[in-house]
Amino acid sequence: QDFESLWVILADDRSDKVDCGEFTRAIFGEMNEYRKAFVRKVSFAYMKVDFNKTGSVPMVDIRKCYCAK
């Protein structure tokens, strides 16, 4: 019964799947403006170091952009 109730809440698009975004919004709610701005900044920074646009960044590429001095 608990699963059925949860499924009704999560599967609001009537598909037979629940994606990660639907799940996190149901559990944590929508992000506030501060969190949204932070995610945008992190995403922008990640795009800067992902030179090849592959979705993963090797350490050698990070070293090209970051100096820990």
Side-chain angles (χ1 to χ4, degrees):
Q1 185 179 7
D2 289 339
F3 177 78
E4 293 298 324
S5 298
L6 181 61
W7 188 258
V8 168
I9 294 167
L10 292 176
D12 60 357
D13 60 1
R14 303 295 179 231
S15 71
D16 61 347
K17 298 177 182 176
V18 175
D19 68 27
C20 183
E22 290 172 322
F23 181 79
T24 56
R25 278 188 298 280
I27 300 300
F28 299 114
E30 294 292 331
M31 287 192 288
N32 62 34
E33 289 305 314
Y34 175 80
R35 287 177 62 204
K36 287 179 185 177
F38 184 77
V39 168
R40 283 191 290 273
K41 288 178 185 178
V42 170
S43 297
F44 181 75
Y46 187 85
M47 289 187 313
K48 288 284 200 179
V49 296
D50 187 9
F51 302 118
N52 300 323
K53 308 298 180 224
T54 60
S56 63
V57 180
M59 189 57 71
V60 68
D61 287 350
I62 293 174
R63 285 186 181 119
K64 292 176 185 174
C65 297
Y66 181 74
C67 177
K69 290 182 181 179

Coordinates of all heavy atoms in Angstrom, one line a residue:
Q1 N 0.8 -1.2 0.0 CA 0.0 0.0 0.0 C 0.9 1.3 0.0 O 0.6 2.2 -0.7 CB -0.9 0.0 1.2 CG -1.9 1.1 1.2 CD -2.9 1.1 2.4 OE1 -2.7 0.3 3.3 NE2 -3.8 2.0 2.4
D2 N 2.0 1.3 0.8 CA 2.9 2.4 0.8 C 3.5 2.6 -0.6 O 3.6 3.8 -1.0 CB 4.0 2.2 1.9 CG 3.4 2.3 3.3 OD1 2.4 2.9 3.5 OD2 4.1 1.8 4.2
F3 N 3.9 1.5 -1.2 CA 4.5 1.6 -2.5 C 3.5 2.2 -3.5 O 3.9 3.1 -4.3 CB 5.0 0.3 -3.0 CG 5.6 0.3 -4.4 CD1 6.8 0.8 -4.6 CD2 4.8 -0.1 -5.5 CE1 7.3 0.9 -5.9 CE2 5.3 0.0 -6.8 CZ 6.6 0.5 -7.0
E4 N 2.3 1.8 -3.5 CA 1.3 2.3 -4.4 C 1.1 3.8 -4.2 O 1.0 4.5 -5.2 CB 0.0 1.5 -4.3 CG 0.0 0.1 -4.7 CD 0.4 -0.1 -6.2 OE1 -0.1 0.7 -7.0 OE2 1.1 -1.0 -6.5
S5 N 1.0 4.2 -3.0 CA 0.8 5.7 -2.7 C 2.0 6.5 -3.2 O 1.9 7.5 -3.8 CB 0.7 5.9 -1.2 OG -0.4 5.2 -0.7
L6 N 3.2 6.0 -3.0 CA 4.4 6.6 -3.4 C 4.5 6.7 -5.0 O 4.8 7.7 -5.6 CB 5.7 5.9 -2.9 CG 7.0 6.5 -3.3 CD1 7.1 7.9 -2.8 CD2 8.1 5.7 -2.8
W7 N 4.1 5.6 -5.6 CA 4.1 5.5 -7.1 C 3.1 6.6 -7.7 O 3.5 7.2 -8.7 CB 3.7 4.1 -7.6 CG 3.9 4.0 -9.0 CD1 3.0 4.0 -10.0 CD2 5.2 3.9 -9.7 NE1 3.6 3.9 -11.2 CE2 4.9 3.8 -11.1 CE3 6.5 3.8 -9.3 CZ2 5.9 3.7 -12.0 CZ3 7.5 3.7 -10.2 CH2 7.2 3.6 -11.6
V8 N 2.0 6.7 -7.1 CA 1.0 7.7 -7.6 C 1.6 9.1 -7.5 O 1.4 9.9 -8.4 CB -0.3 7.7 -6.8 CG1 -1.2 8.9 -7.1 CG2 -1.0 6.4 -7.0
I9 N 2.4 9.4 -6.5 CA 3.0 10.7 -6.3 C 4.1 10.9 -7.3 O 4.3 11.9 -8.0 CB 3.5 10.9 -4.9 CG1 2.3 11.0 -3.9 CG2 4.4 12.2 -4.8 CD1 2.7 10.9 -2.5
L10 N 5.0 9.9 -7.5 CA 6.2 10.0 -8.3 C 5.9 9.9 -9.8 O 6.5 10.6 -10.6 CB 7.2 8.9 -7.9 CG 7.8 9.1 -6.5 CD1 8.7 7.9 -6.3 CD2 8.6 10.4 -6.5
A11 N 5.0 9.0 -10.2 CA 4.8 8.8 -11.6 C 3.7 9.7 -12.1 O 2.7 9.2 -12.7 CB 4.5 7.3 -11.9
D12 N 3.9 11.0 -12.0 CA 2.8 11.9 -12.4 C 2.6 12.0 -13.9 O 1.6 12.5 -14.3 CB 3.0 13.3 -11.8 CG 4.4 13.9 -12.2 OD1 5.1 13.2 -12.9 OD2 4.6 15.0 -11.8
D13 N 3.6 11.5 -14.7 CA 3.4 11.6 -16.1 C 2.8 10.3 -16.7 O 2.8 10.1 -17.9 CB 4.8 11.9 -16.8 CG 5.8 10.9 -16.5 OD1 5.5 9.9 -15.8 OD2 6.9 11.1 -17.0
R14 N 2.4 9.5 -15.9 CA 1.7 8.2 -16.3 C 2.6 7.2 -17.0 O 2.1 6.4 -17.7 CB 0.4 8.5 -17.1 CG -0.6 9.4 -16.3 CD -1.1 8.7 -15.1 NE -2.1 9.6 -14.4 CZ -2.0 9.8 -13.2 NH1 -1.1 9.3 -12.4 NH2 -2.9 10.7 -12.6
S15 N 3.9 7.4 -16.9 CA 4.8 6.4 -17.5 C 5.0 5.3 -16.5 O 4.6 5.4 -15.4 CB 6.1 7.1 -17.9 OG 6.9 7.4 -16.8
D16 N 5.7 4.3 -17.0 CA 6.0 3.2 -16.0 C 7.4 3.3 -15.4 O 7.9 2.4 -14.9 CB 5.9 1.8 -16.7 CG 6.8 1.7 -17.9 OD1 7.4 2.7 -18.3 OD2 6.9 0.6 -18.4
K17 N 7.9 4.6 -15.5 CA 9.3 4.8 -15.0 C 9.3 6.1 -14.1 O 8.5 7.0 -14.4 CB 10.3 4.9 -16.1 CG 10.4 3.7 -16.9 CD 11.4 3.9 -18.1 CE 11.5 2.7 -18.9 NZ 12.3 2.9 -20.1
V18 N 10.2 6.2 -13.2 CA 10.5 7.4 -12.4 C 11.9 7.7 -12.6 O 12.8 6.9 -12.3 CB 10.2 7.2 -10.9 CG1 10.5 8.4 -10.1 CG2 8.7 6.8 -10.7
D19 N 12.2 8.9 -13.2 CA 13.6 9.3 -13.3 C 14.2 10.0 -12.1 O 13.4 10.3 -11.1 CB 13.8 10.2 -14.6 CG 13.2 11.6 -14.5 OD1 13.0 12.1 -13.3 OD2 12.9 12.1 -15.5
C20 N 15.4 10.2 -12.1 CA 16.1 10.7 -10.9 C 15.6 12.1 -10.5 O 15.4 12.4 -9.3 CB 17.6 10.8 -11.2 SG 18.6 11.3 -9.8
G21 N 15.3 12.9 -11.5 CA 14.8 14.3 -11.2 C 13.4 14.2 -10.5 O 13.2 14.9 -9.6
E22 N 12.5 13.3 -11.0 CA 11.2 13.2 -10.4 C 11.4 12.7 -8.9 O 10.7 13.2 -8.0 CB 10.4 12.2 -11.1 CG 9.9 12.6 -12.5 CD 9.2 11.5 -13.3 OE1 9.6 10.4 -13.2 OE2 8.2 11.9 -14.0
F23 N 12.3 11.8 -8.7 CA 12.5 11.2 -7.4 C 13.0 12.3 -6.4 O 12.5 12.5 -5.3 CB 13.4 10.0 -7.5 CG 13.7 9.4 -6.1 CD1 12.8 8.5 -5.6 CD2 14.9 9.7 -5.4 CE1 13.0 7.9 -4.3 CE2 15.1 9.1 -4.2 CZ 14.1 8.2 -3.7
T24 N 14.1 13.0 -6.9 CA 14.6 14.0 -5.9 C 13.7 15.1 -5.7 O 13.6 15.7 -4.6 CB 16.0 14.5 -6.5 OG1 15.8 15.1 -7.8 CG2 17.0 13.5 -6.5
R25 N 12.9 15.6 -6.7 CA 11.9 16.6 -6.4 C 10.8 16.2 -5.4 O 10.4 16.9 -4.6 CB 11.3 17.1 -7.7 CG 12.1 18.1 -8.5 CD 11.4 18.7 -9.7 NE 11.0 17.7 -10.7 CZ 11.8 17.2 -11.6 NH1 13.1 17.6 -11.6 NH2 11.5 16.3 -12.5
A26 N 10.4 14.9 -5.5 CA 9.4 14.4 -4.6 C 10.0 14.3 -3.2 O 9.3 14.6 -2.2 CB 9.0 13.0 -5.1
I27 N 11.2 13.9 -3.1 CA 11.8 13.8 -1.7 C 12.3 15.1 -1.1 O 12.0 15.4 0.0 CB 13.0 12.8 -1.8 CG1 12.6 11.4 -2.3 CG2 13.7 12.7 -0.4 CD1 11.6 10.7 -1.5
F28 N 13.0 15.9 -1.9 CA 13.6 17.1 -1.4 C 12.8 18.4 -1.8 O 13.1 19.5 -1.2 CB 15.0 17.3 -1.9 CG 15.9 16.2 -1.5 CD1 16.5 15.3 -2.4 CD2 16.2 16.0 -0.2 CE1 17.3 14.2 -2.1 CE2 17.1 14.9 0.2 CZ 17.6 14.1 -0.7
G29 N 11.9 18.3 -2.7 CA 11.2 19.5 -3.2 C 12.0 20.3 -4.2 O 13.1 19.9 -4.6
E30 N 11.5 21.4 -4.7 CA 12.2 22.2 -5.7 C 13.3 22.9 -5.0 O 13.3 23.2 -3.9 CB 11.2 23.2 -6.3 CG 10.1 22.6 -7.1 CD 10.6 22.0 -8.4 OE1 11.6 22.4 -9.0 OE2 10.0 21.0 -8.9
M31 N 14.4 23.2 -5.8 CA 15.5 24.0 -5.3 C 15.1 25.4 -5.1 O 14.4 26.0 -5.9 CB 16.7 23.9 -6.3 CG 17.3 22.5 -6.3 SD 18.9 22.6 -7.2 CE 18.4 22.8 -8.9
N32 N 15.7 26.0 -4.1 CA 15.5 27.5 -3.9 C 16.4 28.2 -4.8 O 17.3 27.6 -5.5 CB 15.7 27.9 -2.4 CG 17.0 27.6 -1.9 OD1 18.0 27.7 -2.6 ND2 17.1 27.3 -0.6
E33 N 16.3 29.5 -4.9 CA 17.0 30.3 -5.8 C 18.5 30.3 -5.5 O 19.4 30.3 -6.5 CB 16.6 31.8 -5.9 CG 15.2 31.9 -6.5 CD 15.1 31.3 -7.9 OE1 16.1 31.6 -8.7 OE2 14.2 30.6 -8.2
Y34 N 18.9 30.2 -4.3 CA 20.3 30.1 -3.9 C 21.0 28.8 -4.5 O 22.0 28.9 -5.1 CB 20.5 30.2 -2.4 CG 21.9 29.9 -2.0 CD1 22.9 31.0 -2.0 CD2 22.4 28.7 -1.5 CE1 24.2 30.8 -1.6 CE2 23.7 28.5 -1.1 CZ 24.6 29.5 -1.2 OH 25.9 29.3 -0.8
R35 N 20.3 27.7 -4.3 CA 20.8 26.4 -4.8 C 20.8 26.4 -6.3 O 21.8 25.9 -6.9 CB 19.9 25.3 -4.3 CG 20.2 25.0 -2.8 CD 19.3 23.9 -2.3 NE 19.5 22.6 -3.0 CZ 18.6 21.7 -3.1 NH1 17.4 21.8 -2.5 NH2 18.9 20.5 -3.7
K36 N 19.8 27.0 -7.0 CA 19.8 27.0 -8.4 C 21.0 27.8 -9.0 O 21.6 27.4 -9.9 CB 18.5 27.6 -8.9 CG 17.3 26.7 -8.8 CD 16.0 27.5 -9.3 CE 14.8 26.6 -9.1 NZ 13.6 27.3 -9.5
A37 N 21.3 29.0 -8.3 CA 22.4 29.8 -8.8 C 23.7 29.0 -8.6 O 24.6 29.1 -9.4 CB 22.4 31.1 -8.0
F38 N 23.8 28.3 -7.5 CA 25.0 27.5 -7.2 C 25.2 26.5 -8.2 O 26.3 26.3 -8.8 CB 25.0 26.9 -5.8 CG 26.2 26.2 -5.4 CD1 27.4 26.9 -5.0 CD2 26.3 24.8 -5.5 CE1 28.5 26.2 -4.7 CE2 27.4 24.1 -5.1 CZ 28.5 24.8 -4.7
V39 N 24.2 25.7 -8.6 CA 24.2 24.7 -9.6 C 24.6 25.3 -10.9 O 25.5 24.7 -11.7 CB 22.9 23.9 -9.7 CG1 22.9 23.0 -10.9 CG2 22.7 23.1 -8.4
R40 N 24.1 26.4 -11.3 CA 24.5 27.1 -12.5 C 26.0 27.4 -12.6 O 26.7 27.2 -13.6 CB 23.6 28.3 -12.8 CG 22.2 28.0 -13.3 CD 21.5 29.3 -13.8 NE 21.2 30.2 -12.7 CZ 20.1 30.1 -12.0 NH1 19.2 29.2 -12.2 NH2 19.8 31.0 -11.0
K41 N 26.5 27.9 -11.4 CA 27.9 28.3 -11.4 C 28.8 27.0 -11.5 O 29.8 27.0 -12.2 CB 28.2 29.0 -10.0 CG 27.7 30.4 -10.0 CD 28.0 31.0 -8.6 CE 27.4 32.4 -8.5 NZ 27.6 33.0 -7.2
V42 N 28.4 26.0 -10.8 CA 29.2 24.7 -10.9 C 29.1 24.2 -12.3 O 30.2 23.7 -12.8 CB 28.7 23.7 -9.8 CG1 29.3 22.4 -10.1 CG2 29.0 24.2 -8.4
S43 N 28.0 24.2 -12.9 CA 27.8 23.7 -14.3 C 28.7 24.5 -15.2 O 29.3 23.9 -16.1 CB 26.4 23.7 -14.7 OG 25.6 22.9 -13.9
F44 N 28.7 25.8 -15.1 CA 29.5 26.6 -15.9 C 31.0 26.3 -15.8 O 31.7 26.2 -16.7 CB 29.2 28.1 -15.6 CG 30.0 29.1 -16.5 CD1 29.7 29.3 -17.8 CD2 31.1 29.7 -16.0 CE1 30.4 30.1 -18.6 CE2 31.9 30.6 -16.7 CZ 31.5 30.8 -18.1
A45 N 31.4 26.2 -14.5 CA 32.8 25.8 -14.2 C 33.2 24.5 -14.8 O 34.3 24.3 -15.4 CB 33.1 25.8 -12.7
Y46 N 32.3 23.5 -14.7 CA 32.6 22.2 -15.3 C 32.7 22.3 -16.8 O 33.6 21.6 -17.4 CB 31.5 21.2 -14.9 CG 31.8 19.8 -15.3 CD1 32.6 19.0 -14.5 CD2 31.3 19.3 -16.5 CE1 32.9 17.7 -14.8 CE2 31.7 18.0 -16.9 CZ 32.4 17.2 -16.0 OH 32.7 15.9 -16.4
M47 N 31.8 23.0 -17.4 CA 31.9 23.1 -18.9 C 33.3 23.7 -19.3 O 33.8 23.4 -20.4 CB 30.8 24.0 -19.4 CG 29.4 23.3 -19.3 SD 28.0 24.1 -20.1 CE 28.2 25.8 -19.5
K48 N 33.8 24.6 -18.5 CA 35.1 25.2 -18.8 C 36.2 24.2 -18.8 O 37.2 24.3 -19.6 CB 35.5 26.3 -17.8 CG 34.6 27.5 -18.0 CD 35.1 28.3 -19.1 CE 34.6 29.8 -19.0 NZ 35.1 30.6 -20.1
V49 N 36.2 23.2 -18.0 CA 37.3 22.2 -17.9 C 37.0 21.0 -18.7 O 37.9 20.2 -19.0 CB 37.6 21.8 -16.4 CG1 38.1 23.0 -15.6 CG2 36.5 21.1 -15.8
D50 N 35.8 20.8 -19.2 CA 35.5 19.7 -20.1 C 35.7 20.1 -21.5 O 34.8 20.3 -22.3 CB 34.0 19.3 -19.9 CG 33.6 18.0 -20.6 OD1 34.6 17.3 -21.1 OD2 32.4 17.6 -20.7
F51 N 37.0 20.2 -21.9 CA 37.5 20.6 -23.2 C 36.8 19.9 -24.3 O 36.5 20.4 -25.3 CB 39.0 20.6 -23.3 CG 39.7 21.4 -22.2 CD1 40.6 20.8 -21.4 CD2 39.5 22.8 -22.1 CE1 41.2 21.5 -20.4 CE2 40.2 23.5 -21.2 CZ 41.1 22.9 -20.3
N52 N 36.8 18.6 -24.2 CA 36.3 17.7 -25.3 C 34.8 17.5 -25.3 O 34.3 16.8 -26.1 CB 37.0 16.3 -25.2 CG 38.5 16.5 -25.3 OD1 39.0 17.3 -26.1 ND2 39.3 15.7 -24.6
K53 N 34.1 18.1 -24.3 CA 32.7 17.9 -24.1 C 32.2 16.5 -24.1 O 31.3 16.1 -24.7 CB 31.9 18.7 -25.3 CG 32.4 20.1 -25.5 CD 32.1 20.9 -24.2 CE 32.5 22.4 -24.4 NZ 33.2 22.9 -23.3
T54 N 33.0 15.7 -23.3 CA 32.6 14.2 -23.2 C 31.8 13.9 -22.0 O 31.3 12.8 -21.8 CB 33.9 13.4 -23.1 OG1 34.7 13.8 -21.9 CG2 34.8 13.6 -24.3
G55 N 31.7 14.8 -21.0 CA 31.0 14.6 -19.8 C 31.9 14.0 -18.7 O 31.4 13.8 -17.6
S56 N 33.1 13.8 -19.0 CA 34.1 13.4 -17.9 C 35.4 14.2 -18.2 O 35.7 14.5 -19.3 CB 34.3 11.9 -18.0 OG 34.9 11.6 -19.2
V57 N 36.1 14.5 -17.1 CA 37.2 15.3 -17.1 C 38.4 14.6 -16.5 O 38.4 14.3 -15.3 CB 37.0 16.7 -16.4 CG1 38.3 17.5 -16.5 CG2 35.8 17.4 -17.0
P58 N 39.4 14.3 -17.3 CA 40.6 13.6 -16.8 C 41.4 14.6 -15.9 O 41.4 15.8 -16.1 CB 41.4 13.2 -18.0 CG 40.9 13.9 -19.1 CD 39.5 14.4 -18.8
M59 N 42.2 14.1 -15.0 CA 43.0 14.9 -14.1 C 43.9 15.8 -14.8 O 44.2 17.0 -14.4 CB 43.7 14.0 -13.1 CG 44.4 14.8 -12.0 SD 43.3 15.8 -11.0 CE 42.4 14.6 -10.1
V60 N 44.5 15.4 -15.9 CA 45.4 16.2 -16.7 C 44.7 17.5 -17.2 O 45.3 18.6 -17.2 CB 46.0 15.4 -17.9 CG1 45.0 15.1 -18.9 CG2 47.2 16.1 -18.4
D61 N 43.5 17.4 -17.6 CA 42.7 18.6 -18.0 C 42.5 19.6 -16.8 O 42.5 20.8 -17.0 CB 41.4 18.3 -18.7 CG 41.6 17.7 -20.1 OD1 42.8 17.7 -20.6 OD2 40.7 17.1 -20.6
I62 N 42.2 19.0 -15.7 CA 41.9 19.8 -14.5 C 43.2 20.6 -14.1 O 43.2 21.7 -13.8 CB 41.4 19.0 -13.3 CG1 40.0 18.4 -13.6 CG2 41.4 19.8 -12.0 CD1 39.5 17.5 -12.6
R63 N 44.3 19.9 -14.2 CA 45.6 20.5 -13.9 C 45.9 21.7 -14.8 O 46.6 22.6 -14.4 CB 46.7 19.5 -14.0 CG 46.8 18.5 -12.8 CD 48.0 17.6 -12.8 NE 48.0 16.7 -11.7 CZ 47.9 15.4 -11.8 NH1 47.9 14.8 -13.0 NH2 47.9 14.6 -10.8
K64 N 45.4 21.7 -16.0 CA 45.6 22.8 -17.0 C 44.9 24.0 -16.5 O 45.3 25.1 -16.9 CB 45.1 22.4 -18.4 CG 45.9 21.3 -19.1 CD 45.3 21.0 -20.4 CE 46.0 19.8 -21.0 NZ 45.3 19.3 -22.3
C65 N 43.8 23.9 -15.8 CA 43.0 25.0 -15.3 C 43.1 25.4 -13.9 O 42.7 26.5 -13.5 CB 41.5 24.7 -15.6 SG 41.1 24.4 -17.3
Y66 N 43.7 24.6 -13.1 CA 43.7 24.8 -11.6 C 45.1 24.8 -11.1 O 45.9 23.9 -11.3 CB 42.9 23.7 -10.9 CG 42.8 23.9 -9.5 CD1 42.0 24.9 -8.9 CD2 43.5 23.1 -8.6 CE1 41.9 25.1 -7.5 CE2 43.4 23.3 -7.2 CZ 42.6 24.2 -6.7 OH 42.5 24.4 -5.4
C67 N 45.4 25.8 -10.3 CA 46.7 25.9 -9.6 C 46.4 26.0 -8.1 O 45.7 26.9 -7.7 CB 47.5 27.1 -10.1 SG 49.0 27.4 -9.2
A68 N 46.9 25.1 -7.3 CA 46.6 25.0 -5.9 C 47.6 25.9 -5.1 O 47.5 25.8 -3.8 CB 46.8 23.6 -5.4
K69 N 48.4 26.7 -5.7 CA 49.3 27.5 -4.9 C 48.6 28.6 -4.0 O 47.7 29.2 -4.3 CB 50.3 28.3 -5.9 CG 51.3 27.3 -6.5 CD 52.2 28.1 -7.4 CE 53.2 27.1 -8.0 NZ 54.1 27.7 -8.9

